[in-house]
Amino acid sequence: MERYVEEAAAALDLPVAEQSRATVVAVMRRLAAQAEHLLAFELGAEADLTEPQPE
Amino acid sequence: MNAVEQVRAALGRIAAGDVEINAVTKVLERRALARAEAIDRAVASGATPGPLWGVPFLAKNLYDVEGVVTRAGSKATDGDPPARADAEAIRRLEGAGAVLVGLTNMDEFAYGFLTVNEHDGPARNPHDTARLAGGSSGGSAAAVAAGFVPLALGSDTNGSVRVPAALCGIFGIRPTFGRLSKHGAFPLSYTLDTVGPLARSAAELTVAFEALAAGHVRPAGSIEGLRIARLGGYFEHPLSVEARAALEELCATLGVRERVELPEVQRAREAAFLITAAEAGQIHLARLRRRASDYGDPVRERLIAAALTPSAWYVQALRFQRWFMEAVRAVFERYDVLVAPATPYSAPEIGEAEVEVEGLKLEAGPGLGTFTQPLALARVPEVLVPVRRSGALPVGVQLVGRWGSDELLLALARKLAGEAAYAQ
């Protein structure tokens, strides 16, 4: 996660101060855990973001 | 009292009481008195007074006010150009005769549940000033609870009206997503943000909602014979003794006997966290690049992480939202109103990092959003009914309705307000 934060922040030209880095990584880890649980959920086709096709 | 007298009285209450509460970040005395004088002149000339004639109100400091820099609780907005016009919500309340008298304290950029603001200090709970008012609309809630004004504007993304309303013992509404204009309100999440009023009574909350929805108010319908169920499962725990007692009492008052569960509520909360993070991160990306050091410590790091959210997480959260909205809609085929606790516990002490409830240690801030955040994802309306028991801190209960049933929930809240425990 440290490497992801470093590389993604650099790609976005987003400076992360040294004293902020550990907290940013901790927040990112928490978001990642939430995302992992959410991504594990099998959504049906009805949850597609595409608009329904006309009849 | 005429408008000028009402406004002067409110300004006097703020001057006398806010040193202790810290709810108000800016007083707009000159503007308020000019507005009140104009209203009184118009009424003296035969104009019909609006439903909120002369009622002083406050607005969370993320709302645009013409000629004022919109701070959104941050130093990182210092130097922004002043707003060119009032936010639509302020315009509508003033169109109904109300008078804006000032702006209120909030979590920085509305990203929190505590109103512990590094720049402005914490908003204090009028029921116990050693305790928090909740957030992120904590200044608005505390000001109403302290009696400064009968009405205030907040905003609710994941619970930011309902949480502080519950902790401060006042009424509030998160309206159906999209029903009230957000124009001129500093955003946190385009997908979840709503404009929400807070008031000392259900009647005043209704008048405010109707003013904000002007031209689009729907008939409430009958509140007799409503099919009401209590939300079970996820919403049963953790609850403090006070929060559980309040929920039981309100269910008894309404004669609620059935329980119903919503599916995947924990994932709904996770989706709300991820959507909020992804959108807030992008909203703040340019400002973070320029002036990250002007953000307060807890918010800066959270927003930097938010800006790095991978799109796969965000898109899955949006897809899940569609699924969850459909699941909630299906439950409302069987019921008209659902009842849920607002927060697991009453106001924490200022500086309290953790709260223990039913043997669980919860982070004081995020814990407050346990029951409000997943419901935000469903885009349905919730009205917060405060419950005040003698000698105890206030807690709240959410009345949850199907999409567009805001008026029905407000009517039910007015009925409950006739009961002793809910009357202000």
Side-chain angles (χ1 to χ4, degrees):
Chain A
M1 190 57 77
E2 289 90 343
R3 188 171 161 195
Y4 174 80
V5 166
E6 189 178 332
E7 291 180 357
L12 289 171
D13 195 21
L14 183 58
V16 183
E18 190 58 41
Q19 65 270 24
S20 290
R21 189 152 301 158
T23 308
V24 172
V25 169
V27 175
M28 205 69 207
R29 283 208 173 102
R30 180 181 290 199
L31 289 171
Q34 292 168 338
E36 187 180 1
H37 189 227
L38 199 58
L39 285 161
F41 185 62
E42 290 287 334
L43 288 162
E46 70 275 14
D48 272 345
L49 292 175
T50 51
E51 291 300 316
Q53 294 296 309
E55 293 288 322
Chain B
M1 288 202 291
N2 63 24
V4 168
E5 289 166 340
Q6 290 185 71
V7 166
R8 283 197 190 284
L11 292 170
R13 290 191 294 270
I14 292 167
D18 200 48
V19 173
E20 191 177 19
I21 304 298
N22 196 34
V24 181
T25 53
K26 187 175 186 67
V27 174
L28 299 165
E29 182 169 354
R30 186 185 300 177
R31 170 188 160 123
L33 287 171
R35 168 83 187 152
E37 286 163 6
I39 291 172
D40 286 342
R41 276 197 306 274
V43 172
S45 304
T48 305
L52 290 170
W53 176 40
V55 172
F57 75 101
L58 290 157
K60 190 174 184 176
N61 74 32
L62 56 64
Y63 285 99
D64 283 354
V65 174
E66 184 180 1
V68 176
V69 173
T70 306
R71 292 189 54 233
S74 184
K75 266 175 65 179
T77 49
D78 288 358
D80 281 7
R84 286 183 293 183
D86 291 345
E88 183 65 16
I90 289 172
R91 205 182 67 79
R92 289 193 179 209
L93 287 178
E94 292 204 326
V99 180
L100 180 68
V101 297
L103 300 168
T104 59
N105 200 354
M106 56 182 281
D107 282 297
E108 187 168 3
F109 290 118
Y111 208 12
F113 287 118
L114 297 172
T115 310
V116 174
N117 185 298
E118 184 168 301
H119 316 296
D120 296 319
R124 295 176 180 273
N125 194 312
H127 297 279
D128 178 349
T129 55
R131 293 179 183 272
L132 293 163
S136 65
S137 308
S140 292
V144 171
F148 299 165
V149 287
L151 172 68
L153 272 176
S155 64
D156 190 312
T157 303
N158 288 304
S160 286
V161 162
R162 292 164 287 160
V163 167
L167 268 47
C168 290
I170 61 169
F171 289 84
I173 180 171
R174 173 188 169 91
T176 299
F177 181 85
R179 278 207 69 184
L180 303 183
S181 171
K182 297 183 280 189
H183 187 260
F186 198 107
L188 177 65
S189 161
Y190 302 117
T191 299
L192 297 171
D193 287 349
T194 58
V195 164
L198 306 97
R200 66 184 170 187
S201 74
E204 287 161 313
L205 187 71
T206 303
V207 178
F209 175 83
E210 290 177 351
L212 290 164
H216 302 279
V217 178
R218 301 171 180 186
S222 173
I223 56 169
E224 299 303 319
L226 290 174
R227 299 168 298 171
I228 306 177
R230 170 178 170 174
L231 281 174
Y234 175 97
F235 292 92
E236 305 267 16
H237 303 282
L239 283 174
S240 69
V241 172
E242 297 80 17
R244 188 173 299 284
L247 183 64
E248 303 281 359
E249 187 175 309
L250 187 137
C251 285
T253 303
L254 290 174
V256 177
R257 291 184 187 84
E258 293 188 51
R259 273 184 169 81
V260 65
E261 290 192 31
L262 300 178
E264 299 295 342
V265 182
Q266 181 59 42
R267 282 191 166 100
R269 188 168 196 213
E270 290 161 355
F273 266 123
L274 289 166
I275 290 170
T276 304
E279 295 182 354
Q282 294 311 304
I283 287 164
H284 284 275
L285 181 57
R287 196 182 295 268
L288 283 167
R289 282 178 181 141
R290 290 197 316 271
R291 48 193 306 183
S293 61
D294 289 332
Y295 285 67
D297 276 341
V299 172
R300 175 177 48 242
E301 284 77 12
R302 290 175 64 205
L303 285 171
I304 289 173
L308 307 180
T309 304
S311 61
W313 301 358
Y314 177 55
V315 172
Q316 177 73 351
L318 289 175
R319 291 182 72 225
F320 180 86
Q321 183 185 29
R322 290 258 179 133
W323 182 91
F324 188 66
M325 286 168 66
E326 181 58 29
V328 171
R329 191 200 60 74
V331 170
F332 279 114
E333 288 178 357
R334 289 181 284 145
Y335 299 100
D336 302 302
V337 176
L338 304 174
V339 177
T343 60
Y345 42 87
S346 55
E349 288 183 10
I350 294 170
E352 193 174 4
E354 285 186 334
V355 178
E356 188 167 341
V357 183
E358 294 191 301
L360 282 175
K361 284 188 176 174
L362 303 171
E363 280 185 79
L368 286 169
T370 300
F371 302 128
T372 55
Q373 190 164 11
L375 293 170
L377 196 74
R379 294 187 160 184
V380 293
E382 290 97 29
V383 167
L384 189 289
V385 176
V387 182
R388 304 262 312 276
R389 299 161 73 88
S390 178
L393 290 165
V395 288
V397 176
Q398 298 179 87
L399 303 177
V400 189
R402 64 170 60 86
W403 196 92
S405 69
D406 310 61
E407 289 85 349
L408 177 75
L409 298 181
L410 288 164
L412 192 56
R414 293 197 299 279
K415 179 187 175 188
L416 283 167
E419 306 286 336
Y422 316 111
Q424 298 301 294

